[in-house]
Amino acid sequence: MPVKKILILFLLVVSSGAKASMILLPMDESTQQNHLKAYGITYWALDKSYKANWLLNYRGGSFLLPDADEIRRECQIRGVSFEVISDSEANSILDEISSPSQNMENVVLEKAPKIAVYTPDGKQPWDDAVTLVLSYAEIPFTPIYDEEVLSDALLLYDWLHLHHEDFTGQYGKFFGMYRNAPWYIEQKKAAEVLASKLGYDKVSDEKLAVAQKIRNFVVGGGFMFAMCSATDSFDIALSAEGVDICEPMFDGDASEANYQSKIDYNNSFAFKDFILERNPMVYEFSDIDTTNKRAILPDNDYFTLMEYSAKWDPIPSMLCQNHTMLVKGFMGQTTAYYSDKVKSNVLVMGENKQTGEARYIHGTKGKGMFTYYGGHDPEDYQHRVGDAPTVLDLHPNSPGYRLILNNVLFPAARKKKLKT
C-alpha cells in the first residue's frame, strides 16, 4: 500500500477515535441548572433504546449517556446542563468509580420502566407531588384507579405511585373539618357509587381489595412508591383485614368493639405496634404519624439522608442520590413516622434524629420493593386544601423532589445479585 494511503488511513482512524465521545449530565449543586429535568432526559434516552449509566456518588449522582445529536438537542430544549467528554475521559471517570477506595458505583440503566400513578379522575397534577414532577420532567405515566387495579392492570407496569389516598374507607379523616364542604360530600358519594359498581357493600371493603391487589403487585416483583397518607393508610388497611374500624358516618354502622386488639401488624409493609385514632373528628389515622406532636420551627425543619456503601448497598445508594445530604422538611396529613413504629427490617434512609422522625424509608416485600416518603409537597411547607399549585420552574434543583425521581429511575437498573 502506498505511503500516502497508509497516512490517510492512519489520520482517519485517529480522527474517528478523537470524535468518539459521551454526554455527562452532572448532578452536583454548582453545575446542573435543572436537576429535575435531567432525570427526564435520562428516561427519554432509555425510552429511545439508549443505554445509560448512573454514576452513584459521582458529582451528585450524575448520568452518563451516549453522545447523539438528538440527546444534545433534547438537553438544550429542556434546559439541562450537559458536558461532552471523550471516550478516554469517560473511561477515566469509570476507572475512578471502580476503585475500591472510592464510595462510588456505576449502575447500568437498561430500560425505561412503565409507570402507573394511582389517582382518581379529576385530580389536577398539583394535587400530587409525584404527578407534578413527572409532568415537569416530561416522564410519561398512566393514571389508573380502582377499576384498573381490581382488573389486574398492574401487571402491565413496573412502578406504581400511590396518590394521597385513604385505603381505610374513612375518606381521609376529613369529616371533622370538611363534612359540610361540597367537595367532601361529592367525593364521598362518588366513592360509594364506585364501590357499589364494583360489587362491594362498603367503600372500606372495596379499598381493602385494592390494597390487597397492590400488595400482590409488590410481592410479585413490582416497585411501589407512596407519599403522605397513602403510606400509613395502606399499612393500616392491610393490618385491619376482616376488622371493621370505621365509625357510622363512614360506613353506616358501628365499628367493631375492641378492634385495636384485632390489628395484625404482620400484614403491614413498614409499620408496627401502632394505635389507631378512634375519634372520627380527629384528622389523623394513628400514632404512626408525628404531625400533631411536632415541636419544630419551619426554619429548622430538615432531615438528613443516610450515606451507604455504593458498591455494597447500591439500592439505598440509588434512592438517596442528591446534591445535598440535608433536605428541607415539609408537612402533610402524614408528615413523618415515629422511628419506633418502623419495623426493624425496613431501612430508614432519611431521618431527623432530633425529633425521632423517619421521613424516607424503604423495604422489600416478596420479590418487590416499596418506598414511603412522608409529607405532601417538598416545596410547599404546609400545603392546605385550596392552596395554589407549586410551580416547579421555580424549584428546578429541589433536593426533596429529586428523591421522588430517584425512585422513578430505580427500576431501570440492570438486575444483578445483591451483595447484601
Side-chain angles (χ1 to χ4, degrees):
M1 184 182 293
V3 174
K4 185 175 181 181
K5 286 189 176 179
I6 292 175
L7 182 60
I8 291 172
L9 184 61
F10 174 75
L11 290 173
L12 285 172
V13 171
V14 171
S15 174
S16 64
K19 287 180 180 177
S21 55
M22 302 286 286
I23 290 176
L24 180 74
L25 304 184
M27 296 295 279
D28 47 356
E29 187 169 14
S30 58
T31 56
Q32 181 52 257
Q33 62 182 341
N34 197 316
H35 287 92
L36 306 186
K37 285 186 179 288
Y39 288 89
I41 291 290
T42 304
Y43 187 99
W44 179 89
L46 291 170
D47 202 38
K48 293 284 187 179
S49 299
Y50 291 104
K51 290 288 191 294
N53 297 73
W54 198 349
L55 310 182
L56 304 186
N57 294 345
Y58 177 80
R59 295 180 63 181
S62 299
F63 299 105
L64 188 64
L65 307 173
D67 186 15
D69 288 341
E70 61 176 345
I71 295 179
R72 292 194 195 193
R73 185 167 56 251
E74 205 65 29
C75 287
Q76 291 164 345
I77 291 170
R78 301 192 192 189
V80 173
S81 306
F82 67 97
E83 300 170 10
V84 179
I85 60 176
S86 66
D87 271 357
S88 61
E89 289 174 311
N91 288 331
S92 178
I93 291 171
L94 294 175
D95 285 343
E96 177 188 354
I97 289 171
S98 66
S99 169
S101 66
Q102 298 293 330
N103 185 20
M104 301 178 187
E105 180 65 301
N106 169 33
V107 173
V108 178
L109 304 180
E110 293 191 307
K111 184 181 178 183
K114 290 184 172 60
I115 297 170
V117 173
Y118 178 80
T119 183
D121 288 339
K123 288 293 181 182
Q124 298 300 317
W126 51 82
D127 289 329
D128 174 61
V130 174
T131 309
L132 182 65
V133 77
L134 288 173
S135 300
Y136 181 74
E138 299 178 57
I139 295 175
F141 63 91
T142 302
I144 65 170
Y145 204 51
D146 293 356
E147 288 182 89
E148 291 84 359
V149 172
L150 292 174
S151 62
D152 292 321
L154 288 179
L155 295 173
L156 302 174
Y157 302 96
D158 305 302
W159 192 90
L160 171 68
H161 167 57
L162 303 185
H163 184 77
H164 300 281
E165 188 71 26
D166 175 7
F167 290 96
T168 70
Q170 297 176 92
Y171 307 103
K173 294 296 290 285
F174 284 114
F175 181 80
M177 294 174 62
Y178 296 105
R179 60 187 177 277
N180 295 318
W183 64 264
Y184 178 86
I185 296 169
E186 182 181 339
Q187 286 185 11
K188 183 175 184 293
K189 182 178 179 181
E192 291 168 347
V193 168
L194 179 59
S196 177
K197 175 185 176 183
L198 294 172
Y200 296 89
D201 293 331
K202 295 182 178 182
V203 171
S204 56
D205 292 338
E206 188 259 335
K207 288 297 181 184
L208 172 62
V210 170
Q212 290 171 328
K213 284 284 189 180
I214 294 171
R215 175 198 61 198
N216 295 344
F217 163 76
V218 177
V219 169
F223 188 88
M224 180 185 79
F225 177 81
M227 286 187 72
C228 200
S229 61
T231 60
D232 50 350
S233 76
F234 179 80
D235 265 27
I236 290 168
L238 290 177
S239 70
E241 178 181 352
V243 182
D244 188 346
I245 64 172
C246 295
E247 301 305 328
M249 67 284 297
F250 301 130
D251 68 351
D253 57 27
S255 62
E256 272 186 48
N258 199 27
Y259 65 63
Q260 180 63 52
S261 65
K262 302 172 185 177
I263 298 301
D264 187 350
Y265 303 115
N266 292 319
N267 290 342
S268 65
F269 275 29
F271 304 118
K272 63 178 183 178
D273 303 334
F274 48 83
I275 305 299
L276 301 184
E277 175 54 63
R278 297 190 66 104
N279 188 343
M281 305 297 287
V282 175
Y283 181 56
E284 186 61 275
F285 292 104
S286 74
D287 63 353
I288 295 170
D289 176 37
T290 68
T291 300
N292 293 336
K293 296 181 181 178
R294 302 184 91 230
I296 186 168
L297 296 173
D299 290 345
N300 299 327
D301 193 356
Y302 286 85
F303 63 95
T304 304
L305 297 176
M306 302 297 103
E307 185 174 3
Y308 297 93
S309 168
K311 289 181 173 61
W312 289 93
D313 293 305
I315 290 172
S317 292
M318 273 186 273
L319 299 178
C320 289
Q321 289 301 291
N322 226 309
H323 49 282
T324 175
M325 299 300 286
L326 200 62
V327 181
K328 188 77 178 71
F330 53 99
M331 298 185 72
Q333 181 176 9
T334 301
T335 299
Y337 322 112
Y338 282 110
S339 297
D340 62 355
K341 301 298 181 185
V342 178
K343 292 183 176 182
S344 59
N345 63 333
V346 173
L347 279 179
V348 175
M349 302 187 298
E351 66 177 350
N352 185 328
K353 285 190 175 180
Q354 179 185 359
T355 57
E357 293 178 334
R359 294 294 308 247
Y360 184 48
I361 63 178
H362 175 75
T364 60
K365 192 72 173 177
K367 297 179 181 178
M369 300 183 185
F370 64 91
T371 298
Y372 288 172
Y373 191 13
H376 181 86
D377 184 332
E379 294 299 336
D380 184 351
Y381 184 75
Q382 195 169 7
H383 185 85
R384 297 183 184 277
V385 175
D387 280 0
T390 297
V391 179
L392 284 181
D393 270 328
L394 301 176
H395 309 283
N397 311 107
S398 169
Y401 270 102
R402 275 199 67 178
L403 295 180
I404 297 173
L405 292 173
N406 286 339
N407 286 270
V408 171
L409 277 190
F410 167 72
R414 175 185 288 170
K415 304 297 185 291
K416 60 181 180 180
K417 186 176 176 62
L418 300 179
K419 301 185 179 76
T420 56

